[in-house]
Amino acid sequence: MPGEHQIVESAEISEHVVSEIVSRTFRSIPRSDQRRWGELYVRGLLSVSGRKTMRAIADGAGGGVEQSLYQFITKSPWAAEPVRRELADLLLRLEPRAWVVHPLVISKVGRHSVGVERRWVSSHGRVVNCQQAVGVWLAGDRASCPVDWRLALPESWAGEASLRRRACIPEDIGSCPPEQCAVQSVSAMAGDWGLPHRPVVMDLRESDAYAVCAVLLERRMPFVVRIDPAARGLAVRPVRPSVRPGGPERFSEDTGAPCPPGSPLALVPELGRQCLPVEWYDHEADALRATSVGAARVLLRRTGPDAPRPLPADQQELILVGAWRDPGRRTPSAYWLSNLPQSQLGTVYRTAMLARRVTRDLAEVSEGLGIRDFEGRSFRGWHHHMTMVSLAHAATVLSAARRPAAWPPPVRMPAPRERTGVRAA
Protein backbone atom coordinates (compact mmCIF):
# COMPACT_ATOMS: atom_id res chain seq x y z
CA MET A 1 0.00 0.00 0.00
CA PRO A 2 1.42 3.45 -0.86
CA GLY A 3 2.87 5.13 2.21
CA GLU A 4 2.18 2.08 4.42
CA HIS A 5 3.36 2.70 7.95
CA GLN A 6 3.04 1.31 11.45
CA ILE A 7 1.25 2.95 14.37
CA VAL A 8 3.82 4.82 16.42
CA GLU A 9 4.71 2.85 19.56
CA SER A 10 4.49 5.94 21.79
CA ALA A 11 0.79 6.16 21.07
CA GLU A 12 0.35 2.76 22.80
CA ILE A 13 -1.97 1.59 20.05
CA SER A 14 -1.96 -2.16 19.48
CA GLU A 15 -1.10 -3.11 15.92
CA HIS A 16 -3.13 -6.28 16.38
CA VAL A 17 -6.21 -4.27 17.39
CA VAL A 18 -5.90 -1.88 14.43
CA SER A 19 -5.55 -4.75 11.98
CA GLU A 20 -8.54 -6.56 13.47
CA ILE A 21 -10.72 -3.46 13.32
CA VAL A 22 -10.00 -2.60 9.70
CA SER A 23 -10.26 -6.21 8.53
CA ARG A 24 -13.62 -6.76 10.23
CA THR A 25 -15.30 -3.40 9.63
CA PHE A 26 -14.21 -3.00 5.99
CA ARG A 27 -15.68 -6.32 4.86
CA SER A 28 -18.66 -4.52 3.31
CA ILE A 29 -16.43 -2.25 1.18
CA PRO A 30 -16.21 -4.11 -2.15
CA ARG A 31 -12.95 -2.86 -3.66
CA SER A 32 -9.56 -3.74 -2.26
CA ASP A 33 -8.10 -0.34 -3.17
CA GLN A 34 -10.86 1.40 -1.18
CA ARG A 35 -10.12 -0.79 1.82
CA ARG A 36 -6.44 0.14 1.57
CA TRP A 37 -7.22 3.86 1.51
CA GLY A 38 -9.58 3.43 4.45
CA GLU A 39 -6.88 1.73 6.49
CA LEU A 40 -4.41 4.47 5.59
CA TYR A 41 -6.91 7.11 6.71
CA VAL A 42 -7.54 5.38 10.07
CA ARG A 43 -3.82 4.98 10.69
CA GLY A 44 -3.30 8.64 9.82
CA LEU A 45 -5.90 9.72 12.38
CA LEU A 46 -4.04 7.67 14.98
CA SER A 47 -0.50 8.78 14.15
CA VAL A 48 -0.58 12.33 12.73
CA SER A 49 -0.16 15.16 15.22
CA GLY A 50 -2.30 18.29 15.20
CA ARG A 51 -5.33 18.84 12.96
CA LYS A 52 -6.33 15.79 10.98
CA THR A 53 -6.63 17.43 7.59
CA MET A 54 -6.48 15.46 4.37
CA ARG A 55 -3.10 17.00 3.58
CA ALA A 56 -1.67 16.20 7.03
CA ILE A 57 -2.76 12.56 6.76
CA ALA A 58 -1.33 12.31 3.23
CA ASP A 59 1.98 13.89 4.30
CA GLY A 60 2.18 11.49 7.23
CA ALA A 61 1.88 8.61 4.76
CA GLY A 62 4.79 9.92 2.72
CA GLY A 63 2.96 12.29 0.38
CA GLY A 64 1.47 11.86 -3.04
CA VAL A 65 -1.78 10.26 -1.86
CA GLU A 66 -3.90 13.28 -0.95
CA GLN A 67 -6.13 13.06 -4.02
CA SER A 68 -6.76 9.34 -3.48
CA LEU A 69 -7.70 9.92 0.16
CA TYR A 70 -9.98 12.79 -0.86
CA GLN A 71 -11.68 10.55 -3.39
CA PHE A 72 -12.15 7.75 -0.85
CA ILE A 73 -13.67 9.99 1.84
CA THR A 74 -15.64 12.50 -0.21
CA LYS A 75 -16.80 10.74 -3.37
CA SER A 76 -16.50 6.95 -3.09
CA PRO A 77 -19.99 5.40 -2.80
CA TRP A 78 -19.22 2.90 -0.01
CA ALA A 79 -21.90 2.77 2.69
CA ALA A 80 -21.02 3.86 6.20
CA GLU A 81 -23.76 1.95 8.04
CA PRO A 82 -22.42 -1.60 7.49
CA VAL A 83 -19.01 -0.46 8.72
CA ARG A 84 -20.61 1.00 11.85
CA ARG A 85 -22.64 -2.15 12.46
CA GLU A 86 -19.50 -4.29 12.38
CA LEU A 87 -17.80 -1.84 14.73
CA ALA A 88 -20.69 -2.04 17.21
CA ASP A 89 -20.53 -5.82 17.19
CA LEU A 90 -16.79 -5.75 17.81
CA LEU A 91 -17.23 -3.33 20.75
CA LEU A 92 -19.46 -5.77 22.63
CA ARG A 93 -16.27 -7.09 24.24
CA LEU A 94 -16.24 -3.87 26.30
CA GLU A 95 -19.54 -4.98 27.87
CA PRO A 96 -21.45 -1.75 27.19
CA ARG A 97 -24.24 -1.00 29.66
CA ALA A 98 -25.95 1.82 27.77
CA TRP A 99 -26.41 3.55 24.43
CA VAL A 100 -25.57 7.15 25.26
CA VAL A 101 -26.76 9.86 22.89
CA HIS A 102 -24.29 12.74 22.92
CA PRO A 103 -24.67 16.03 20.98
CA LEU A 104 -21.77 17.45 19.02
CA VAL A 105 -21.47 21.09 17.96
CA ILE A 106 -18.86 21.65 15.24
CA SER A 107 -17.97 25.32 14.81
CA LYS A 108 -17.28 26.41 11.23
CA VAL A 109 -15.99 29.43 9.35
CA GLY A 110 -18.10 30.23 6.31
CA ARG A 111 -21.38 28.82 5.04
CA HIS A 112 -20.37 26.00 2.69
CA SER A 113 -19.98 23.00 4.99
CA VAL A 114 -23.04 20.76 4.80
CA GLY A 115 -25.69 21.68 7.38
CA VAL A 116 -23.87 24.72 8.71
CA GLU A 117 -26.03 27.52 10.10
CA ARG A 118 -25.84 30.30 12.65
CA ARG A 119 -27.85 29.20 15.68
CA TRP A 120 -28.08 29.63 19.41
CA VAL A 121 -26.09 27.00 21.29
CA SER A 122 -26.91 26.92 24.99
CA SER A 123 -23.72 25.05 25.94
CA HIS A 124 -21.72 27.92 24.41
CA GLY A 125 -24.04 30.65 25.67
CA ARG A 126 -24.05 32.42 22.31
CA VAL A 127 -24.91 32.19 18.62
CA VAL A 128 -22.47 29.92 16.79
CA ASN A 129 -21.91 29.26 13.09
CA CYS A 130 -21.85 25.48 13.26
CA GLN A 131 -22.99 22.01 12.33
CA GLN A 132 -25.13 20.13 14.84
CA ALA A 133 -24.80 16.38 15.10
CA VAL A 134 -25.58 13.56 17.51
CA GLY A 135 -23.53 10.45 18.16
CA VAL A 136 -24.74 7.22 19.72
CA TRP A 137 -22.04 5.75 21.94
CA LEU A 138 -21.76 2.27 23.40
CA ALA A 139 -20.79 3.06 26.98
CA GLY A 140 -19.61 0.93 29.88
CA ASP A 141 -17.53 1.38 33.02
CA ARG A 142 -14.24 0.73 31.21
CA ALA A 143 -14.72 2.87 28.12
CA SER A 144 -17.13 4.26 25.55
CA CYS A 145 -17.00 4.58 21.78
CA PRO A 146 -19.24 6.24 19.17
CA VAL A 147 -20.82 3.83 16.69
CA ASP A 148 -23.40 5.88 14.79
CA TRP A 149 -23.67 9.50 13.71
CA ARG A 150 -26.47 11.72 12.46
CA LEU A 151 -26.13 15.24 11.06
CA ALA A 152 -29.08 17.43 12.05
CA LEU A 153 -30.00 19.34 8.90
CA PRO A 154 -31.74 22.69 9.44
CA GLU A 155 -34.69 23.76 7.31
CA SER A 156 -32.48 26.22 5.45
CA TRP A 157 -30.57 23.29 3.98
CA ALA A 158 -33.26 20.68 3.65
CA GLY A 159 -35.56 22.97 1.68
CA GLU A 160 -33.01 24.58 -0.63
CA ALA A 161 -32.40 22.62 -3.83
CA SER A 162 -29.13 24.35 -4.72
CA LEU A 163 -27.61 23.60 -1.30
CA ARG A 164 -28.74 19.98 -1.50
CA ARG A 165 -27.14 19.54 -4.91
CA ARG A 166 -23.91 21.17 -3.82
CA ALA A 167 -23.56 18.91 -0.76
CA CYS A 168 -24.96 15.81 -2.54
CA ILE A 169 -27.61 15.30 0.15
CA PRO A 170 -29.68 12.15 -0.57
CA GLU A 171 -33.32 12.72 -1.51
CA ASP A 172 -34.63 10.82 1.53
CA ILE A 173 -32.77 13.06 4.01
CA GLY A 174 -34.82 15.97 5.32
CA SER A 175 -34.69 18.49 8.12
CA CYS A 176 -34.30 16.77 11.47
CA PRO A 177 -33.89 18.20 14.99
CA PRO A 178 -31.10 16.53 16.96
CA GLU A 179 -33.42 14.57 19.27
CA GLN A 180 -35.33 13.13 16.30
CA CYS A 181 -32.04 12.18 14.63
CA ALA A 182 -31.08 10.37 17.83
CA VAL A 183 -34.39 8.46 17.96
CA GLN A 184 -33.93 7.40 14.32
CA SER A 185 -30.42 6.20 15.09
CA VAL A 186 -31.23 4.12 18.20
CA SER A 187 -34.32 2.72 16.49
CA ALA A 188 -32.18 1.48 13.59
CA MET A 189 -29.63 0.02 15.99
CA ALA A 190 -32.36 -1.78 17.94
CA GLY A 191 -34.21 -3.03 14.88
CA ASP A 192 -31.58 -3.82 12.25
CA TRP A 193 -28.17 -4.13 13.86
CA GLY A 194 -28.83 -7.22 15.98
CA LEU A 195 -27.22 -5.68 19.08
CA PRO A 196 -28.29 -6.65 22.60
CA HIS A 197 -30.60 -3.85 23.69
CA ARG A 198 -29.25 -1.50 26.34
CA PRO A 199 -30.91 1.53 27.98
CA VAL A 200 -30.84 4.68 25.87
CA VAL A 201 -29.42 7.62 27.82
CA MET A 202 -30.32 11.10 26.54
CA ASP A 203 -30.47 14.67 27.82
CA LEU A 204 -33.88 16.09 26.83
CA ARG A 205 -33.86 19.27 28.88
CA GLU A 206 -34.03 21.37 25.71
CA SER A 207 -36.21 18.98 23.70
CA ASP A 208 -39.75 17.68 23.60
CA ALA A 209 -39.29 15.01 26.25
CA TYR A 210 -42.82 13.66 25.91
CA ALA A 211 -42.46 13.04 22.16
CA VAL A 212 -39.14 11.19 22.58
CA CYS A 213 -40.36 9.10 25.51
CA ALA A 214 -43.54 8.21 23.61
CA VAL A 215 -41.56 6.89 20.64
CA LEU A 216 -39.16 4.89 22.82
CA LEU A 217 -42.08 3.42 24.76
CA GLU A 218 -43.90 2.52 21.56
CA ARG A 219 -40.80 0.71 20.31
CA ARG A 220 -40.29 -1.09 23.65
CA MET A 221 -36.85 0.37 24.18
CA PRO A 222 -35.42 0.84 27.69
CA PHE A 223 -34.34 4.39 28.49
CA VAL A 224 -33.14 6.86 31.11
CA VAL A 225 -33.64 10.45 29.92
CA ARG A 226 -32.84 13.66 31.74
CA ILE A 227 -35.67 16.21 31.77
CA ASP A 228 -36.36 19.79 32.71
CA PRO A 229 -38.97 19.46 35.49
CA ALA A 230 -40.42 22.86 34.61
CA ALA A 231 -40.79 22.16 30.87
CA ARG A 232 -44.17 22.92 29.35
CA GLY A 233 -46.16 20.16 27.73
CA LEU A 234 -44.81 17.41 30.00
CA ALA A 235 -46.95 16.24 32.92
CA VAL A 236 -46.73 13.30 35.31
CA ARG A 237 -48.91 12.13 38.14
CA PRO A 238 -48.14 9.51 40.78
CA VAL A 239 -49.51 6.03 40.23
CA ARG A 240 -50.41 5.79 43.91
CA PRO A 241 -50.45 9.31 45.33
CA SER A 242 -49.60 9.51 48.99
CA VAL A 243 -50.42 13.22 49.18
CA ARG A 244 -54.10 14.01 49.05
CA PRO A 245 -55.35 16.62 46.54
CA GLY A 246 -55.65 20.02 48.09
CA GLY A 247 -52.43 19.67 50.09
CA PRO A 248 -49.89 22.47 50.50
CA GLU A 249 -48.91 24.17 47.26
CA ARG A 250 -45.40 23.46 46.05
CA PHE A 251 -43.01 26.14 44.81
CA SER A 252 -39.93 25.90 42.64
CA GLU A 253 -36.76 26.30 44.68
CA ASP A 254 -35.02 27.89 41.69
CA THR A 255 -37.68 30.40 40.59
CA GLY A 256 -40.00 30.68 43.58
CA ALA A 257 -43.01 30.24 41.26
CA PRO A 258 -45.83 27.81 42.07
CA CYS A 259 -45.43 24.38 40.51
CA PRO A 260 -48.01 23.86 37.73
CA PRO A 261 -50.32 20.84 37.96
CA GLY A 262 -48.55 17.70 36.79
CA SER A 263 -45.08 19.20 37.18
CA PRO A 264 -42.39 16.81 38.44
CA LEU A 265 -41.54 19.56 40.93
CA ALA A 266 -44.82 18.85 42.69
CA LEU A 267 -43.68 15.29 43.42
CA VAL A 268 -40.64 16.18 45.53
CA PRO A 269 -42.30 14.79 48.71
CA GLU A 270 -42.87 11.48 46.89
CA LEU A 271 -39.22 11.38 45.79
CA GLY A 272 -37.97 12.18 49.27
CA ARG A 273 -39.95 9.37 50.86
CA GLN A 274 -38.33 6.81 48.53
CA CYS A 275 -34.79 8.17 48.88
CA LEU A 276 -31.72 5.89 48.77
CA PRO A 277 -27.98 6.61 49.00
CA VAL A 278 -26.47 5.46 45.71
CA GLU A 279 -22.74 5.02 45.21
CA TRP A 280 -21.48 5.61 41.67
CA TYR A 281 -18.24 6.20 39.85
CA ASP A 282 -17.72 9.69 38.47
CA HIS A 283 -15.68 9.09 35.30
CA GLU A 284 -15.03 12.79 34.77
CA ALA A 285 -13.42 13.19 38.20
CA ASP A 286 -12.10 9.61 38.60
CA ALA A 287 -13.78 9.41 41.99
CA LEU A 288 -16.32 7.29 43.82
CA ARG A 289 -19.29 9.38 44.93
CA ALA A 290 -22.49 8.95 46.88
CA THR A 291 -25.70 10.74 45.98
CA SER A 292 -29.17 10.65 47.47
CA VAL A 293 -31.58 9.44 44.81
CA GLY A 294 -35.35 9.16 45.06
CA ALA A 295 -37.93 7.70 42.72
CA ALA A 296 -41.70 7.66 42.31
CA ARG A 297 -43.87 5.66 39.93
CA VAL A 298 -45.69 8.04 37.64
CA LEU A 299 -47.98 8.13 34.63
CA LEU A 300 -46.75 10.14 31.65
CA ARG A 301 -49.08 12.81 30.28
CA ARG A 302 -48.99 15.51 27.63
CA THR A 303 -50.63 18.86 28.38
CA GLY A 304 -51.76 21.71 26.19
CA PRO A 305 -54.27 22.16 23.38
CA ASP A 306 -52.25 20.05 20.93
CA ALA A 307 -51.88 17.10 23.31
CA PRO A 308 -52.07 13.78 21.41
CA ARG A 309 -54.15 10.80 22.42
CA PRO A 310 -52.96 9.15 25.66
CA LEU A 311 -50.45 6.35 25.40
CA PRO A 312 -51.76 2.80 25.80
CA ALA A 313 -52.21 1.90 29.46
CA ASP A 314 -49.30 -0.56 29.46
CA GLN A 315 -46.94 2.14 28.16
CA GLN A 316 -47.87 4.99 30.49
CA GLU A 317 -46.11 3.98 33.69
CA LEU A 318 -42.56 5.25 34.26
CA ILE A 319 -40.42 6.17 37.20
CA LEU A 320 -39.48 9.76 37.96
CA VAL A 321 -35.99 9.94 39.44
CA GLY A 322 -34.55 12.86 41.39
CA ALA A 323 -30.97 13.27 42.63
CA TRP A 324 -29.83 15.53 45.46
CA ARG A 325 -26.26 16.39 44.49
CA ASP A 326 -26.25 19.56 46.59
CA PRO A 327 -26.94 18.76 50.26
CA GLY A 328 -28.15 22.33 50.78
CA ARG A 329 -31.11 21.96 48.43
CA ARG A 330 -34.57 20.88 49.51
CA THR A 331 -35.42 19.76 45.96
CA PRO A 332 -33.42 17.52 43.60
CA SER A 333 -30.65 18.99 41.49
CA ALA A 334 -31.53 16.82 38.49
CA TYR A 335 -34.48 14.75 37.24
CA TRP A 336 -34.84 11.77 34.91
CA LEU A 337 -37.64 9.65 33.49
CA SER A 338 -37.11 5.93 32.94
CA ASN A 339 -39.05 2.79 32.10
CA LEU A 340 -36.59 0.60 34.04
CA PRO A 341 -37.83 -1.04 37.26
CA GLN A 342 -37.92 1.15 40.36
CA SER A 343 -36.46 -1.74 42.32
CA GLN A 344 -33.22 -1.18 40.37
CA LEU A 345 -32.92 2.48 41.34
CA GLY A 346 -29.17 2.32 41.88
CA THR A 347 -28.69 0.78 38.45
CA VAL A 348 -30.92 3.44 36.88
CA TYR A 349 -28.88 6.27 38.34
CA ARG A 350 -25.51 4.71 37.54
CA THR A 351 -26.73 4.14 33.99
CA ALA A 352 -27.62 7.83 33.68
CA MET A 353 -24.16 8.76 34.95
CA LEU A 354 -22.51 6.89 32.07
CA ALA A 355 -23.06 10.12 30.13
CA ARG A 356 -20.00 11.36 32.02
CA ARG A 357 -17.96 8.45 30.67
CA VAL A 358 -18.85 9.64 27.16
CA THR A 359 -18.07 13.29 27.93
CA ARG A 360 -14.64 12.27 29.16
CA ASP A 361 -13.85 9.97 26.23
CA LEU A 362 -15.00 12.58 23.72
CA ALA A 363 -12.58 15.11 25.23
CA GLU A 364 -9.65 12.76 25.83
CA VAL A 365 -9.86 10.53 22.76
CA SER A 366 -12.11 11.68 19.91
CA GLU A 367 -11.10 15.34 20.02
CA GLY A 368 -7.47 14.38 19.44
CA LEU A 369 -8.48 12.08 16.58
CA GLY A 370 -10.01 14.90 14.55
CA ILE A 371 -13.71 14.54 15.27
CA ARG A 372 -14.21 18.21 14.37
CA ASP A 373 -11.55 18.48 11.66
CA PHE A 374 -13.34 17.44 8.48
CA GLU A 375 -12.90 20.21 5.90
CA GLY A 376 -15.00 18.75 3.09
CA ARG A 377 -18.45 20.01 2.16
CA SER A 378 -20.39 16.91 1.17
CA PHE A 379 -22.92 14.96 3.22
CA ARG A 380 -21.32 11.64 2.27
CA GLY A 381 -17.83 12.90 3.09
CA TRP A 382 -18.90 14.03 6.55
CA HIS A 383 -20.35 10.60 7.34
CA HIS A 384 -17.28 8.82 5.98
CA HIS A 385 -14.94 10.93 8.08
CA MET A 386 -16.98 10.44 11.26
CA THR A 387 -16.98 6.69 10.63
CA MET A 388 -13.19 6.66 10.33
CA VAL A 389 -12.87 8.66 13.55
CA SER A 390 -15.09 6.10 15.30
CA LEU A 391 -12.78 3.31 14.12
CA ALA A 392 -9.71 5.19 15.35
CA HIS A 393 -11.44 5.81 18.69
CA ALA A 394 -12.23 2.09 18.96
CA ALA A 395 -8.59 1.24 18.27
CA THR A 396 -7.56 3.50 21.13
CA VAL A 397 -9.97 2.19 23.75
CA LEU A 398 -9.65 -1.47 22.74
CA SER A 399 -5.86 -1.16 22.89
CA ALA A 400 -6.17 0.25 26.39
CA ALA A 401 -8.51 -2.58 27.38
CA ARG A 402 -5.73 -5.07 26.51
CA ARG A 403 -3.54 -3.54 29.26
CA PRO A 404 -5.15 -4.60 32.56
CA ALA A 405 -2.57 -2.88 34.72
CA ALA A 406 -3.12 0.43 32.96
CA TRP A 407 -6.89 0.20 32.82
CA PRO A 408 -8.89 0.21 36.11
CA PRO A 409 -11.47 -2.55 36.46
CA PRO A 410 -15.17 -1.72 36.50
CA VAL A 411 -16.38 -0.43 39.82
CA ARG A 412 -18.50 -3.00 41.62
CA MET A 413 -21.11 -1.13 43.61
CA PRO A 414 -22.62 -2.56 46.80
CA ALA A 415 -26.39 -2.90 46.85
CA PRO A 416 -27.74 0.22 48.61
CA ARG A 417 -29.88 -0.18 51.70
CA GLU A 418 -33.09 1.80 51.81
CA ARG A 419 -32.88 4.85 54.02
CA THR A 420 -34.83 8.06 54.15
CA GLY A 421 -33.81 11.65 54.48
CA VAL A 422 -30.22 11.03 53.39
CA ARG A 423 -28.44 13.85 51.64
CA ALA A 424 -25.03 13.29 50.08
CA ALA A 425 -22.88 15.17 47.66
Side-chain angles (χ1 to χ4, degrees), residues 67-370:
Q67 186 58 39
S68 296
L69 289 175
Y70 175 84
Q71 177 73 22
F72 170 76
I73 292 294
T74 304
K75 296 185 179 297
S76 292
W78 59 273
E81 183 177 353
V83 176
R84 297 173 183 179
R85 291 171 65 172
E86 288 285 352
L87 174 63
D89 187 63
L90 191 150
L91 288 168
L92 293 180
R93 67 184 59 173
L94 291 177
E95 300 179 348
R97 295 198 296 110
W99 299 351
V100 178
V101 174
H102 197 286
L104 184 68
V105 176
I106 307 172
S107 299
K108 290 291 182 179
V109 176
R111 299 179 296 174
H112 299 296
S113 297
V114 59
V116 73
E117 185 178 67
R118 289 180 57 82
R119 64 194 100 192
W120 171 262
V121 179
S122 59
S123 60
H124 291 58
R126 58 187 175 86
V127 174
V128 181
N129 190 64
C130 63
Q131 296 167 317
Q132 276 192 325
V134 290
V136 181
W137 297 58
L138 300 190
D141 292 308
R142 289 176 175 266
S144 64
C145 183
V147 295
D148 198 29
W149 293 98
R150 299 293 168 113
L151 184 62
L153 284 183
E155 288 284 356
S156 61
W157 276 81
E160 178 56 53
S162 61
L163 293 177
R164 296 183 68 95
R165 285 194 301 270
R166 188 177 72 194
C168 300
I169 299 173
E171 293 182 359
D172 61 336
I173 300 296
S175 176
C176 183
E179 66 274 12
Q180 290 184 18
C181 291
V183 169
Q184 292 174 4
S185 178
V186 297
S187 296
M189 289 170 58
D192 301 328
W193 289 27
L195 295 177
H197 290 194
R198 294 293 181 265
V200 176
V201 178
M202 296 178 65
D203 188 336
L204 299 178
R205 285 177 292 174
E206 298 181 12
S207 308
D208 186 343
Y210 178 92
V212 174
C213 289
V215 173
L216 295 177
L217 285 166
E218 180 183 3
R219 299 178 184 178
R220 309 287 180 176
M221 299 180 64
F223 63 83
V224 184
V225 297
R226 190 170 180 181
I227 62 167
D228 176 359
R232 295 182 179 181
L234 176 69
V236 296
R237 66 178 178 84
V239 173
R240 294 185 179 89
S242 58
V243 178
R244 291 178 298 176
E249 186 174 25
R250 301 291 305 176
F251 294 85
S252 168
E253 188 170 354
D254 295 316
T255 65
C259 299
S263 167
L265 296 170
L267 297 183
V268 170
E270 294 276 342
L271 298 176
R273 268 185 287 274
Q274 302 294 326
C275 205
L276 296 173
V278 173
E279 287 188 320
W280 57 284
Y281 195 80
D282 185 347
H283 292 284
E284 286 191 284
D286 268 335
L288 188 65
R289 301 194 184 279
T291 300
S292 269
V293 182
R297 293 168 59 198
V298 298
L299 297 175
L300 184 63
R301 293 285 187 268
R302 181 71 173 264
T303 61
D306 59 343
R309 291 184 300 172
L311 293 167
D314 64 337
Q315 296 180 13
Q316 293 177 3
E317 189 170 318
L318 304 176
I319 60 169
L320 174 68
V321 178
W324 281 266
R325 294 177 182 165
D326 181 354
R329 288 180 61 100
R330 295 188 301 274
T331 60
S333 308
Y335 296 79
W336 291 264
L337 283 172
S338 177
N339 58 351
L340 298 178
Q342 185 175 351
S343 61
Q344 300 175 11
L345 180 57
T347 298
V348 173
Y349 186 68
R350 288 189 283 271
T351 298
M353 291 299 97
L354 285 173
R356 295 191 173 213
R357 171 85 261 180
V358 170
T359 299
R360 173 178 176 172
D361 288 349
L362 172 65
E364 294 185 356
V365 182
S366 283
E367 293 284 4
L369 294 172

Side-chain angles (χ1 to χ4, degrees), residues 363-410:
E364 294 185 356
V365 182
S366 283
E367 293 284 4
L369 294 172
I371 199 167
R372 303 177 199 267
D373 291 351
F374 181 60
E375 296 178 333
R377 298 176 179 181
S378 75
F379 183 87
R380 175 185 293 164
W382 184 88
H383 275 280
H384 285 174
H385 172 79
M386 300 302 279
T387 302
M388 296 297 105
V389 172
S390 295
L391 298 183
H393 185 116
T396 303
V397 298
L398 289 174
S399 294
R402 289 167 58 90
R403 302 188 300 273
W407 194 266

